[in-house]
Amino acid sequence: MSGASGPQGTGSQATGADGTSKGLGSGRVGLLGSVVIGVSTIAPAYTLTGALGPTASAVGDHLPAIFLVGFVPMLLVAVGYRALNSAMPDSGTTFTWSSRAFGPWIGWMGGWGLLAATILVLSNLAGIAVDFLYLMLAQLTGDDSLADLAANVPVNVATCLVFMALACWVSYRGLEATKVVQYVLVTFQLLVLVWFCVAAFGQVADGSAPAALALRAEWFDPFGVGSFSAFAAGVSLSVFIYWGWDVVLTMNEETQGSRTTPGRAALATIALIVVLYLAVALAVLTFSGTGEEGLGLGNADIQENIFAALAGPVMGPAAVLMSLAVLASSAASLQSTFISPARTLLAMGHYGALPPRFARIVPRFQSPGYATVVAGVIASVFYAVMRVLSEDVLWDTITALGMMVCFYYGVTALACVWYFRGTWRGDLRAFLTTGLAPGIGGLLLLVFFVQTAVDSTDPSYGSGSQLFGIGLVFLLGIGVLALGVVVMLAQRLRRPAFFHGRTLPRERGTTVPTTAPGASAPGSTTEGASQ
């Protein structure tokens, strides 16, 4: 691998958990840039328009409560991520850390879970981008027939592939190109979402909103949700809306202050997002309510795309800005989401868990070019096939994505607990931040994963699509994990060194990293004792 300098970088190379360089350029992104890319990957405008409806259909007007409950495990897991990153910054994140803590088999499946989640969301991002592109063109020209082009399968797929190719091209050019694009797109979508909230609350205040509801304390009560299944479904969906902050960790080898900045950026990103989500949730609830007719969030006809239905009534002639914001949000996230799968594939190739060609670096941009292109091709093929088979698949991928996220976040959080288990004696802060917090977060997410998997076998779950009497959400989520087991077994035969623990051996943290919350003492270090 070559890490030669290009015109955009200094030529310095980062090192991973094993002390060797993968060829990535170091110091490319600071704290602000990391937060911007983290927000971009979460894609608040795109995420909310696709998830508000399904979440409200599961939990009704307890939407704010579920958003807060979904935030709690994210925060707890982020604390674990921060500690792991401080101990061993590595672009492989879940894959590398789980392998270090639990061994190659669980590490490989953790990495597969991350890859599966990102491939699923890339396809969904592209679909939303296509819908809002043609909606925006219809609004700008006054020709409503242009919006119908999104329903034309050949046009839809062709447009999607163009979006995917452009996003892949920017990602191929490295983090500096990504950063420049994201500053513009993220700022714009955040301003439009704030505008939407202010306009909605204004109509509620003057009584002109369809529902014009006053804020209610019971909206914040998670125990008011009708059943645990509905609660788990709502949390699984709310996990989806927060998902993406961990991209700031996959950039750790390329970040200024690789042991400290990514963890801080993750916590800052989650804090910013929860405030924004609560504001939007309260705005749409008070404006529309949860009724099943008209603009109510319970109306199945508008649930797949809430902002498409509400932007006009809320923002008036400026509704085109919301269409542009969702388009910008999905396009920005489509591009920044490439960061995680590309760097996970890079790490898996670097450590011998996948063919070595995945570890190839583009010398000019110091980026994982081969892995980026592979991620783009797989996502494009998945979208094209699924879109031809059924339009409902795009709805179901959101729920299946929530399952994948619960799985790999849960595994990573428990990896933190296991890795640092020898550091807690006599150190309460270390126990709280590397044991209790990530342990609770990881267990909660795995419980939600299991509950959602069981419930999704019901054909009525999600869009109602099924195959052989089994819900499509279950087939997508569990089927992708089962495929991962098959691929892992094939790689075990071809690349035994990794699975024997020779390229990425198990380790146990013997001291708490100095930069993690709960560090034991100034000047302490993190060491690994091979097991």
Side-chain angles (χ1 to χ4, degrees), residues 370-416:
Y370 181 85
T372 300
V373 172
V374 168
V377 169
I378 294 174
S380 298
V381 171
F382 178 83
Y383 178 85
V385 172
M386 294 295 101
R387 187 63 179 79
V388 169
L389 290 178
S390 171
E391 186 175 355
D392 291 334
V393 169
L394 294 181
W395 171 303
D396 290 329
T397 55
I398 292 180
T399 307
L401 171 65
M403 292 171 59
M404 293 296 98
V405 173
C406 287
F407 171 74
Y408 87 82
Y409 274 1
V411 168
T412 311
L414 295 185
C416 177

